[in-house]
Amino acid sequence: IVKMTVTAENGDSRTIIFKVTRKQDPNYVADKNATLRTLVPSTGVLSPTFLSTQKNYILYIENSVTSVTFEATAKSEKAASVVGVGKHEISGDIAEIKIVCTAENGNSETYTVTVVRLPKYNGKVPGTMEELLRLPGVGRKTANLLLGDLYKEPGSVVCDTHCMRICERLGL
């Protein structure tokens, strides 16, 4: 919109408004990149380390933390929006935060951060199977490995399918 004021010789003036619309270039292709360049929490440890291709993360925070602020930037300067950044109040032991980056063409990518408050462990690895299995991303194999290696708990043997297959081939 362009506003122009025209004044006549007799001093009368009039404002004329022009609405100018530029036609879209027929060869223009909208950017489809909906990935993030950065994802930075205000506190805690993000695991794994941020990569734009990785969509799921765990953020470990101390018990005293009540909120986390996320900053994120889109990889493309033409991205339409990044939603879900800013301050998030954390109540309870686990919270899920979704950050969505939308490309110029409407494509979107969702990054999910599971915020985990570890109140009773005080920076130490839990020492029971039940406590370990409550942690996100820890299954029985990882729990057995930790119990056997860290706590020397008898009967904590870790074996995967490759070990079983090789033992069978060797006749053991």
Side-chain angles (χ1 to χ4, degrees):
I1 296 179
V2 177
K3 288 184 181 181
M4 182 184 295
T5 303
V6 180
T7 306
E9 287 181 15
N10 67 0
D12 290 345
S13 61
R14 186 183 240 176
T15 301
I16 302 170
I17 299 173
F18 296 96
K19 183 177 179 186
V20 180
T21 306
R22 190 166 127 185
K23 189 175 179 182
Q24 175 92 25
D25 179 354
N27 298 318
Y28 181 77
V29 177
D31 188 12
K32 61 182 178 180
N33 187 347
T35 57
L36 292 177
R37 178 181 311 281
T38 62
L39 176 60
V40 181
S42 59
T43 187
V45 177
L46 193 63
S47 178
T49 302
F50 179 75
L51 289 171
S52 62
T53 55
Q54 174 76 31
K55 303 299 185 256
N56 296 301
Y57 296 91
I58 299 173
L59 178 67
Y60 295 101
I61 60 171
E62 293 180 17
N63 188 33
S64 59
V65 175
T66 59
S67 67
V68 177
T69 301
F70 285 93
E71 292 181 13
T73 55
K75 210 171 218 183
S76 171
E77 293 178 4
K78 294 180 180 181
S81 66
V82 177
V83 178
V85 293
K87 186 175 182 178
H88 295 270
E89 298 297 324
I90 307 299
S91 60
D93 291 338
I94 297 177
E96 189 174 273
I97 296 170
K98 295 193 179 291
I99 297 169
V100 181
C101 182
T102 304
E104 182 184 26
N105 74 347
N107 288 351
S108 65
E109 292 284 351
T110 301
Y111 294 80
T112 304
V113 180
T114 303
V115 180
V116 178
R117 182 190 319 268
L118 300 175
K120 62 183 181 180
Y121 306 121
N122 295 324
K124 295 181 181 174
V125 176
T128 67
M129 178 66 77
E130 293 76 26
E131 290 175 319
L132 286 167
L133 291 176
R134 280 191 221 126
L135 298 174
V138 175
R140 292 194 64 81
K141 187 173 168 183
T142 301
N144 273 319
L145 176 72
L146 292 169
L147 291 172
D149 286 359
L150 293 178
Y151 296 107
K152 308 297 184 213
E153 187 175 300
S156 297
V157 178
V158 178
C159 181
D160 65 11
T161 56
H162 300 294
C163 292
M164 300 295 286
R165 190 170 44 96
I166 290 169
C167 287
E168 285 176 10
R169 283 189 179 180
L170 295 173
L172 300 175

